[in-house]
Amino acid sequence: MKQAKLILAALGVMAVWGETFVSSKVLLNVGLMPADIFLYRFTIAYLGMLAMSHRRMWMSSLKHELLIAVCGIAGGSMYFLTENMALRYSTASNVAILVGTTPLVTAILLACCYKEERMSRRQVVGSLIALLGMILVVLNGQLILHLNPLGDALALGASLSWGIYSLCIKPLTKLYDSRFITRKVFGYGLLTILPWFWFVEPLNADPALLSMPKVWLNLLYLGCVASLACYLVWNWVLPRLGVVKATNIIYTQSVYTMFFSWLILHERITWMAMLGTMVLISGMILSEKGKKKQNTD
């Protein structure tokens, strides 16, 4: 029963993160840049976390402080910048597919560093089937992909960034409160995005733009729900569910994005996307059975 609750919590996070593509698209369409969106949403999230966890400032050792700084970069500024910059050079389908390899990349990194996180053969097959399903969902009837080396490399960089985040956050979740960890991740994410506005492009702080209801409502949603609440829940679920199992659930994000794009943006859903959803779910079930069998061996 406890495992079921953890899985439902992780699926809830994926539902919100799947919708963030729609909210971000709304903000991009009105003139905000990806770095602007990141700064505003993480500032809102950091202030919220500061209100919840403000008594402690530093980790208990320099090693842990460096690890959480890497988490803030890899799971914050670097991840969002590489993902959104990839969209400038490559197609949304390419980016979604390559970023969607995150569970596989994470599993490989964890297998290299943690013996207990190594996947069984059945889990590997299940993960690959889920990846295939995710690709079918993302393609949604579009059979031709247009390769762009720079954009596709940036998308893979985003996948690798989240894998590094999962790798570095794992030991910290066993030692520190999830609220403290989440606040530190937001803090380092904000600090490391600031040079972008100085060296690359200035922050869009137009009061007329930020006062538009659809802008500040979407920013509040991204900051309070998608960042503050979801990172808090994810960092709480991760050590309890296991990094590999939790990360495999990321495959479902594409299904939620497809659904919300249909519901809000009126984008079509094809038979390929529906087939992909069934393949994805089948792969996840197979991977879960592989985990149970591994535990009983």
Side-chain angles (χ1 to χ4, degrees):
M1 193 67 178
K2 185 179 179 181
Q3 283 280 303
K5 289 180 179 178
L6 290 169
I7 291 171
L8 284 174
L11 287 171
V13 171
M14 289 306 110
V16 174
W17 284 352
E19 194 282 333
T20 58
F21 287 97
V22 178
S23 291
S24 296
K25 191 170 184 178
V26 171
L27 294 172
L28 289 168
N29 287 340
V30 297
L32 287 178
M33 301 304 291
D36 301 332
I37 298 170
F38 174 81
L39 180 74
Y40 289 130
R41 69 181 281 186
F42 262 51
T43 298
I44 293 168
Y46 181 78
L47 292 174
M49 282 310 308
L50 191 61
M52 295 169 61
S53 173
H54 56 270
R55 293 182 180 179
R56 186 171 187 174
M57 289 301 296
W58 307 105
M59 296 288 189
S60 57
S61 71
L62 179 59
K63 178 183 176 181
H64 292 170
E65 195 67 38
L66 290 173
L67 268 180
I68 200 68
V70 172
C71 290
I73 297 169
S77 54
M78 185 60 69
Y79 174 79
F80 283 95
L81 278 179
T82 50
E83 182 183 63
N84 288 294
M85 283 175 64
L87 289 169
R88 292 185 178 184
Y89 301 102
S90 190
T91 64
S93 295
N94 283 33
V95 174
I97 289 170
L98 292 170
V99 173
T101 62
T102 296
L104 205 56
V105 172
T106 303
I108 293 170
L109 289 174
L110 288 168
C112 293
C113 299
Y114 298 103
K115 185 178 180 181
E116 71 273 14
E117 292 287 0
R118 290 175 184 171
M119 295 193 294
S120 66
R121 287 184 181 179
R122 184 172 291 188
Q123 282 182 289
V124 172
V125 173
S127 184
L128 289 172
I129 291 172
L131 176 63
L132 174 62
M134 182 275 299
I135 291 172
L136 291 173
V137 170
V138 171
L139 288 176
N140 197 16
Q142 179 185 335
L143 296 176
I144 301 175
L145 288 175
H146 302 282
L147 300 179
N148 182 291
L150 177 57
D152 295 343
L154 286 166
L156 283 173
S159 177
L160 181 60
S161 290
W162 192 263
I164 293 170
Y165 170 78
S166 301
L167 184 69
C168 294
I169 205 80
K170 177 180 167 63
L172 298 177
T173 55
K174 298 177 181 179
L175 302 171
Y176 300 95
D177 180 72
S178 59
R179 292 172 297 178
F180 176 58
I181 290 174
T182 306
R183 194 200 82 210
K184 296 287 285 185
V185 168
F186 291 154
Y188 279 114
L190 284 171
L191 282 175
T192 53
I193 196 68
L194 293 179
W196 179 270
F197 300 109
W198 182 265
F199 295 106
V200 183
E201 56 187 8
L203 175 68
N204 186 344
D206 182 6
L209 179 66
L210 296 176
S211 63
M212 294 170 60
K214 67 178 178 180
V215 172
W216 59 262
L217 282 172
N218 275 289
L219 285 175
L220 280 176
Y221 171 76
L222 290 173
C224 296
V225 182
S227 295
L228 190 154
C230 285
Y231 268 78
L232 191 59
V233 172
W234 188 254
N235 289 337
W236 175 77
V237 164
L238 214 58
R240 291 165 177 82
L241 198 57
V243 179
V244 171
K245 184 188 288 188
T247 308
N248 264 338
I249 294 175
I250 291 177
Y251 284 129
T252 64
Q253 187 173 318
S254 60
V255 178
Y256 289 117
T257 300
M258 174 188 70
F259 172 74
F260 286 116
S261 296
W262 167 77
L263 184 68
I264 300 171
L265 302 177
H266 308 295
E267 295 182 0
R268 68 191 183 107
I269 298 177
T270 67
W271 64 267
M272 182 185 288
M274 296 300 294
L275 174 64
T277 301
M278 291 186 285
V279 172
L280 189 155
I281 293 171
S282 300
M284 291 186 66
I285 291 172
L286 181 63
S287 183
E288 175 63 16
K289 286 183 178 178
K291 179 67 175 177
K292 289 179 179 178
K293 184 178 179 181
Q294 188 182 41
N295 290 340
T296 56
D297 287 345

